[in-house]
Each structure stands twice: as structure tokens, then as C-alpha cells.
Amino acid sequence: MRHESFRHPSPTQRRPRWSWSRRQDFTCCGDALRHGATPRLGKVADGTALTDFDEIAIAHQLSTQTGVAHGVWRDHKLNLLDTPGATAFILDSRLALRAAETALIVLDAHNGVEIGTETVRQYAAEFNLPCFVFINKLDKEQTDVESCLQALTEQCDLRPVLLQIPIGIEKQFRGLVDVVRQRAFLYQTDGSGAFVETDVPANLQTAVAKAREALIERVAESDDRLLETFFEQGTLTDEQVLAGLPAAIQSQSLTPVFLGSATLNIGIPQLLDALVSIAPDPAHVGGWLGMSPLDDHLVSPRHVTDDEPFAGYVFKTLDEQFNRISLCKIISGVLRPDSLVVNGSRGALEKVAALYTLQGRQLDKLTEAHAGDIIALTKLKDTHTGDTLCDKAAPVRFAPVTMPEPAISFAIEPKSRADEDKLSGAMLRIIEQDGTLRYARDPQTKEFILSGTNQQHIELTVERLRVRYGVEVVIHAPKVPYLETFKGRVEVHARHKKQTGGRGQFGDCKCIFEALPHGAGFRFVDKIVGGVIPQQFRPAVEKGILEAAEHGALAGYPVVDFQVELVDGSYHTVDSDELSFKLAGRKAFRAAMEKVKLALLEPIMHVVVSVPNEFAGDAMSDLSTRRGRILGINAKGTRQIVEAHVPLGEMLTYATALNSLTSGRGSYTMRFAHYDEAPPQVTQRVVAEAQAAGRIRALEEV
């Protein structure tokens, strides 16, 4: 039977189902819904993919953010969240997964399981989402389905089961055999998607029977009643297999694997048939665990049904043509234009002026949105990614997705004064739609720091600043925020005296400087007795010491962890004032630094590295060469999690090194742990750099 274009059902016939796809360089499956949804079949290589419309994505032929498409198939509405597969932007898939019931993972039949595949599988497991797998590009050379299945088992901890057998391989790839129905689909190879249904070729009957037996066993294992039937009869009927598949997929007892070629348009209709027939239906997979906005302990679950009060979750924010777009999944209830809702995460009221569906970058107005829909909202005043919108009479809040801290940081500098004026505003807009970026000013080094997942992420962000916002910047390695301290205890006497005619300046103080334990900070103790220094002048001594401590004598870094006791001094009734005693305090600090033993403190980071089992030894050895102290190692599935304390100065190039060490399969996060004394060789290098940069000044008289 020749495949016919389907007719559009009426809106009342449509029942929403959800799919999510991680895309590696393949023709977007969203375009496979082109029957009435989009008039063209787009290609990533040509820059015409429906969900890749960003100028940066087109130029580099990769997705940089989640794209949204939808269509109707067999009276079911399908929403596709097309997420980036590139490592630099793959964290965006965590946000999209929150709004999906199924993860559709697309593999290249030649490359198999790649870096992003493992990462996406981990994310799907965190949300307890079942996975579908589509092995793409079976028409290309050196394809290997068996290797893909083995890698899915070993590297992704999945239980893959073939639901299709290919007819031909590589250049002879012409179609598929349905393992359950035992029917063949022979395609035209002109990309038209036309096919005929026929009997299973004789040379594939053995392979189909073997695959069907494996499928039946896996389905039977997932259900006690089916298992009993299997033991009694030795097999299951087609109807029993199809009835048991959805539960087996939902429980993740098996992962269905489909085959095809998106560029030749082979296998797409069968994949869509499976999505609407055996993928989890949001109305039957349980609800969302909501909480009271006022009390996290009060649970308020919501289910995907129109019969409950309205609640929606904003899982992504886009910035398109000076219009901020909030992508919202309707969890429950019905939403209509001109509605007044409350932001359950922030307590603010929001006016929803209009509702839209998003097809790539095209916005189409809606008259109403129902539970299960994904919609686009514009002009929301105080709603951001991770927020909950809800009915005022039934407030609720859903937990947002937690994102790991960025792994790499660069200092960013505008090229001109005009760029400097526009930089902050542009960065705020970029960060609004890319929650994996961080942008802040380091209070110690005074540098603006841009942090992201890896170097490519930062470089493409810089490119976006230039292309979209007209801001030119340069990036370089950030300065390490070293600190200084000293050891021991010393007493100093400092006097500031200046007479130039008329009223002069006079401030005199005696102080005891004493080192404190690491992390103790600064303490000022006033031990003046008898008014040798008036009360109003004593805080000025402390202020002068603190100002001087901002630039240490060793390498020009702030001095910390010490105590100063003000024990004696004198003043002049006419010439003394606050400025005089502040300058005396500065002199006291400098005099003390000449007498104590100075030490450099370096920031130590708590680093958590995730690598496949086979790279654990190499990862620990590399951390040790970076002066890291291994805290522990734990197994998590097929990966090892290594925790260590490592100096920040040794981590500036770690992202590139880890990528090379693990062939791109490793990842890490780090956060500040504490400061510790730097070894002599590091201190000597930092001091030499400070001298070369002119940061160290002689202890001069003021």
C-alpha cells in the first residue's frame, strides 16, 4: 500500500503526546511532521532545518539552543523539542527534558554512541524518562547497527531492543521490516518518502524471527501476567506484545530502537506511528509534584488534564528580534488570551495577552491552550526560566531544573568605550536564554568574567555578541585571585607628621600585628587606655590599615587573616585629624610587612570529575600532576566520579586537557573550597609576574 498524506483531524480529536530529540547532524525529525506542519524538508548542512534558524547555528551547522516544532499524526499532536547535540550547548537539553515525557535519542549509524549521547542519557535518567532510539544514516558507508546496540548497553546503561530490521545496508538500504507485525516497507530512494508494504524478504526471515523472539522475552519480563503466558505458551501474540510494550517502555525494561535515513526520508512514518502508539501519554504517566508557594512541605500535585486549575511551567526563554519569548508547558487546566495569572515562583501577577504556538521561529496565535500543550508567551514582565505560572485561586510552584556550575571561565574586555556601554545589556539578554552562562565582575581582580561549559561555548557567545548585538570583545585567561598573609607577631610604631605652614598633620599610633588562622579574616582590637588617642580618631587607624592591606607587599594581592591591636599613640590638639591617623595606620601596616614573614595564599577548588570507567586511573593521575589531593572515587553506572581539591591556578586549562584525555567523554564541575598556602615555586613565579607587571611598589613614605 502506497503511503498517503494524512488528513488533519479536528482539534477535538487531537490528543497530545510528547517527544524529545537530541540531534546530531541529521535532518530534523520535526521536518518529518511536514504533512501540513511545514511545507519544506530542511537540512542542517544547507542551513534550512526548521528548528535551526539562529544565525550562529546556521553558520556553524550546529544547534545552539532548543528549537520547538509540532505536528499532528494519526489524530495525535506531537511536540518536538529539538535540543543541541554539541557538547558546548548540551546542557540546554536538561531544560527541555523537564517538559517531555519521552527522550528520542538519534544516533549516527557510523559514529554510534558519541559524547553527547552518554550525557543526554544521564539527563534522561535523572528525570526518569524512558528513551526511544532512532539509528540514522543507514544509507551511509560503514554503518554498524550491532555496534550501536552494544554501545547503548555498555555506555548508556540502556536495554535496547530492535523493533525493525534494515532491508539492505549502506548504498543498498531500501527499507525496513517491522519486527512485531512482520511486514516489510520498501521505500523509494529519491527522498519522497513513498513506500509500499509487502512481505518479509526471504533472506531476512531468520533475522526477523530472532529479533522478534528477543522482543517478546523482554516484554514478557516486564509484566508478571505476560511472563506467565509466555511460560505457558512459549510465545506472545502480536496483540499481547503491542499491549505490553508501552508499560515495558515506561518502566524502562526495554528501549525500542528504530532505523532509517532522515535525508532519504526512510523510516520516519514508522517512527511517528510508534510515538503515538507506544510512547508514554502525558495523561497516563502520573502528575507533576507541585508545592505550595508559601510552604515547601505542602505538596500540591497536578495532573495533565483540563479538569484541574491552570498551571504551567516555563522551561526555556528565547530572545528573538527584540522580543523575549517564554516557552511554557501547560501542566493542567486551560489558558486563554488576556488571562491574569500569578507567578508561583515569585509571587508576581502576570498578564497573558496572547498565546502562540512556535514552529521553528514562526509564531502562530492560539485561541486557547490545553493541558499537555507547549506554547509561547511574550511580554511577560517578571517571569524567567524555571518559573511556574498558575491560577490565582490555586497557586502552585514546580521545582526548577538545577544547572551545574560552569566549567571554564575567561576574562572578557570590550574593545571600545561604545562596546563597554552595550556589553552589560547584551550579556543580560544572552544569559536570559542561556542559563548555562555566568557573567560577573570579580571584586578582587576587577575583571569581568564570562563562564560557560567549554571554550567553544565561550567563543560562540563572543560571536553572538558581535553578530547580534554589535559588541566587540576580547577574551583571555582570568587572573587567579591570590591572597597574601603573614606569620608571627610584631609590634610597630608609626607616626605621620607634616608641617607646611599653618595647620599641619599629626597622627601617632603603636600597633601589634598578629597572624590568625586561615579563613579567620581581619580583627581590629582597640586597647587604648587613658585617651592617648581620642575616640573619634581610632577608627581612622583601622581604615588606614585596611586600605593598605588591599595591596600586599609580596605580590600586590590583598592581605588577610590577621589581627591588629591598637595599644598606644599620641595626638596634637590642633594638627591631629582623621586623615592624619588614617595615614599613620597605613604606615603602621607597611612597617609591619617589612618585619614579618609573608606568605602567598592560593584558591583551592573542590573538583568533581566524571569519566568512563576506563579513564578513571588517567584522570586521577592527571589531577595529581596538578597538585590535586584526591578525596575519593565512587562508581556511578558505567562511570567513575572522582573528587579532589585542586589549586585554581592548575585548573585554567583543565577543560581542554580532560577532553583530550577522555576523547571528549569526561566532564567536571568545580566550586571554591578554601585558600591554602602556595608552595615556594608557585610563590616565586607569582612574585616575578607581579614585579614584571609593576604591581609591587616599594614601601614608601606618604
Side-chain angles (χ1 to χ4, degrees):
M1 177 177 67
R2 185 179 178 87
H3 175 61
E4 301 289 343
S5 296
F6 74 99
R7 63 181 177 81
H8 279 288
S10 67
T12 56
Q13 292 176 292
R14 301 182 186 181
R15 191 160 56 93
R17 283 188 181 274
W18 301 80
S19 68
W20 169 86
S21 130
R22 183 194 71 82
R23 187 168 56 78
Q24 298 172 310
D25 188 21
F26 74 103
T27 303
C28 178
C29 283
D31 291 334
L33 301 176
R34 68 191 187 285
H35 304 279
T38 177
R40 59 179 172 80
L41 181 66
K43 295 183 178 180
V44 174
D46 298 339
T48 58
L50 178 66
T51 51
D52 278 343
F53 47 83
D54 179 83
E55 59 269 32
I56 305 299
I58 293 173
H60 293 271
Q61 295 188 9
L62 56 81
S63 296
T64 59
Q65 62 183 6
T66 297
V68 180
H70 65 274
V72 178
W73 187 263
R74 311 295 190 204
D75 294 351
H76 292 71
K77 181 180 180 182
L78 286 167
N79 290 299
L80 176 77
L81 305 179
D82 179 20
T83 67
T87 306
F89 301 97
I90 203 165
L91 274 171
D92 208 51
S93 62
R94 286 176 62 93
L95 302 175
L97 279 165
R98 187 77 163 99
E101 274 73 33
T102 305
L104 172 59
I105 300 176
V106 179
L107 299 186
D108 184 308
H110 171 64
N111 297 331
V113 170
E114 299 184 72
I115 306 163
T117 314
E118 295 182 60
T119 304
V120 164
R121 163 55 185 155
Q122 293 173 31
Y123 296 162
E126 290 178 23
F127 290 96
N128 197 31
L129 292 185
C131 297
F132 276 47
V133 174
F134 181 78
I135 301 180
N136 190 30
K137 299 185 179 180
L138 261 70
D139 58 314
K140 304 303 180 183
E141 295 182 357
Q142 298 181 333
T143 60
D144 192 338
V145 173
E146 287 302 321
S147 293
C148 290
L149 297 177
Q150 183 177 353
L152 286 168
T153 301
E154 296 176 354
Q155 296 175 223
C156 297
D157 196 27
L158 291 172
R159 305 186 70 191
V161 176
L162 277 175
L163 267 65
Q164 296 171 338
I165 298 294
I167 300 176
I169 58 172
E170 300 178 354
K171 292 183 179 180
Q172 283 73 44
F173 179 57
R174 290 194 56 206
L176 308 157
V177 176
D178 186 319
V179 170
V180 179
R181 295 176 54 209
Q182 301 181 78
R183 298 293 293 170
F185 302 95
L186 293 176
Y187 277 81
Q188 298 291 331
T189 57
D190 56 2
S192 65
F195 65 86
V196 293
E197 183 177 333
T198 184
D199 295 330
V200 177
N203 65 323
L204 293 178
Q205 289 181 358
T206 300
V208 172
K210 183 178 179 181
R212 190 173 188 277
E213 182 180 350
L215 171 63
I216 289 174
E217 290 180 358
R218 196 66 62 81
V219 171
E221 290 173 0
S222 67
D223 186 280
D224 291 340
R225 288 178 298 179
L226 290 177
L227 186 60
E228 184 177 345
T229 301
F230 177 75
F231 283 142
E232 291 176 353
Q233 302 177 3
T235 188
L236 298 176
T237 64
D238 291 355
E239 290 74 16
Q240 289 171 327
V241 172
L242 290 172
L245 261 175
I249 294 170
Q250 180 64 39
S251 66
Q252 301 180 44
S253 300
L254 65 83
T255 299
V257 178
F258 301 87
L259 310 173
S261 168
T263 53
L264 293 183
N265 205 8
I266 295 178
I268 307 303
Q270 287 75 34
L271 174 64
L272 296 176
D273 284 343
L275 288 173
V276 302
S277 61
I278 61 176
D281 187 333
H284 299 95
V285 296
W288 279 50
L289 184 61
M291 297 166 289
S292 166
L294 301 178
D295 188 346
D296 290 347
H297 298 289
L298 294 180
V299 179
S300 178
R302 294 296 172 87
H303 301 88
V304 184
T305 172
D306 288 355
D307 298 331
E308 294 187 7
F310 163 72
Y313 177 77
V314 177
F315 64 92
K316 178 70 177 175
T317 303
L318 302 177
D319 180 24
E320 294 299 327
Q321 297 179 343
F322 306 102
N323 189 16
R324 192 161 64 94
I325 300 172
S326 301
L327 299 182
C328 179
K329 175 172 180 175
I330 307 298
I331 307 302
S332 61
V334 179
L335 183 64
R336 296 180 177 84
D338 298 320
S339 297
L340 190 64
V341 299
V342 66
N343 185 319
S345 305
R346 303 175 187 272
L349 290 176
E350 289 280 15
K351 176 68 177 293
V352 177
L355 312 178
Y356 301 91
T357 57
L358 199 58
Q359 193 77 301
R361 74 185 314 164
Q362 178 182 329
L363 289 171
D364 298 314
K365 278 194 174 184
L366 286 173
T367 56
E368 61 182 16
H370 295 263
D373 280 332
I374 287 181
I375 62 172
L377 305 174
T378 61
K379 301 179 181 179
L380 297 181
K381 294 181 179 180
D382 193 28
T383 296
H384 305 276
T385 300
D387 286 356
T388 301
L389 299 176
C390 54
D391 191 315
K392 293 186 296 180
V396 68
R397 178 175 64 84
F398 302 115
V401 176
T402 57
M403 301 293 279
E405 289 299 312
I408 192 170
S409 298
F410 285 87
I412 181 171
E413 295 181 7
K415 286 187 176 181
S416 67
R417 180 60 182 271
D419 293 322
E420 182 178 354
D421 294 339
K422 295 186 291 184
L423 177 59
S424 294
M427 281 306 310
L428 286 175
R429 298 185 65 174
I430 290 177
I431 290 174
E432 177 71 21
Q433 65 176 337
D434 187 349
T436 62
L437 286 171
R438 299 288 187 274
Y439 176 71
R441 184 173 185 267
D442 189 307
Q444 182 176 325
T445 64
K446 306 300 189 291
E447 292 180 315
F448 285 98
I449 305 298
L450 178 61
S451 305
T453 56
N454 60 23
Q455 186 164 340
Q456 184 188 31
H457 189 198
I458 299 297
E459 290 172 348
L460 291 182
T461 299
V462 169
E463 184 176 345
R464 178 168 279 109
L465 279 171
R466 176 180 58 82
V467 172
R468 176 168 290 193
Y469 301 100
V471 180
E472 297 273 0
V473 299
V474 294
I475 59 174
H476 57 80
K479 298 174 184 176
V480 176
Y482 293 106
L483 295 174
E484 296 179 21
T485 190
F486 60 86
K487 299 179 180 180
R489 174 185 172 97
V490 64
E491 181 176 313
V492 295
H493 184 197
R495 174 177 293 180
H496 171 72
K497 184 177 181 180
K498 191 173 184 180
Q499 192 71 43
T500 57
R503 182 179 177 180
Q505 295 179 342
F506 182 85
D508 178 60
C509 63
K510 182 182 290 186
C511 302
I512 298 175
F513 286 73
E514 182 177 7
L516 295 177
H518 291 332
F522 170 76
R523 289 204 294 261
F524 183 79
V525 182
D526 183 356
K527 288 193 173 182
I528 294 295
V529 178
V532 292
I533 300 178
Q535 178 64 45
Q536 67 268 28
F537 297 148
R538 297 174 199 172
V541 177
E542 178 184 4
K543 186 176 181 181
I545 292 171
L546 286 174
E547 287 184 359
E550 291 179 2
H551 303 283
L554 182 62
Y557 293 100
V559 179
V560 296
D561 300 335
F562 66 99
Q563 173 180 287
V564 177
E565 295 180 2
L566 179 60
V567 296
D568 201 359
S570 61
Y571 75 102
H572 190 279
T573 55
V574 176
D575 293 341
S576 292
D577 56 14
E578 289 187 16
L579 177 60
S580 299
F581 276 95
K582 185 175 78 170
L583 296 176
R586 293 180 60 181
K587 285 188 176 183
F589 175 84
R590 295 184 177 184
M593 294 304 101
E594 290 181 325
K595 298 180 179 181
V596 295
K597 182 179 180 181
L598 301 172
L600 185 73
L601 299 177
E602 60 180 350
I604 306 298
M605 311 303 289
H606 183 92
V607 180
V608 180
V609 184
S610 173
V611 295
N613 290 333
E614 60 267 31
F615 297 111
D618 293 336
M620 288 192 291
S621 296
D622 182 72
L623 290 172
S624 296
T625 63
R626 298 172 184 273
R627 299 189 286 120
R629 182 168 64 89
I630 305 299
L631 302 177
I633 180 169
N634 297 293
K636 187 176 182 181
T638 60
R639 302 178 74 83
Q640 296 290 328
I641 310 299
V642 183
E643 295 190 47
H645 279 168
V646 190
L648 176 59
E650 304 291 343
M651 294 295 294
L652 298 180
T653 60
Y654 186 66
T656 303
L658 182 63
N659 185 64
S660 175
L661 184 70
T662 64
S663 301
R665 296 172 63 193
S667 62
Y668 77 100
T669 61
M670 67 178 182
R671 56 179 172 79
F672 173 75
H674 59 271
Y675 273 89
D676 205 351
E677 187 172 339
Q681 65 271 23
V682 174
T683 300
Q684 292 171 7
R685 174 177 55 80
V686 173
V687 170
E689 292 173 353
Q691 291 173 342
R695 290 200 302 270
I696 304 177
R697 297 181 300 174
L699 299 178
E700 58 189 6
E701 293 293 322
V702 180

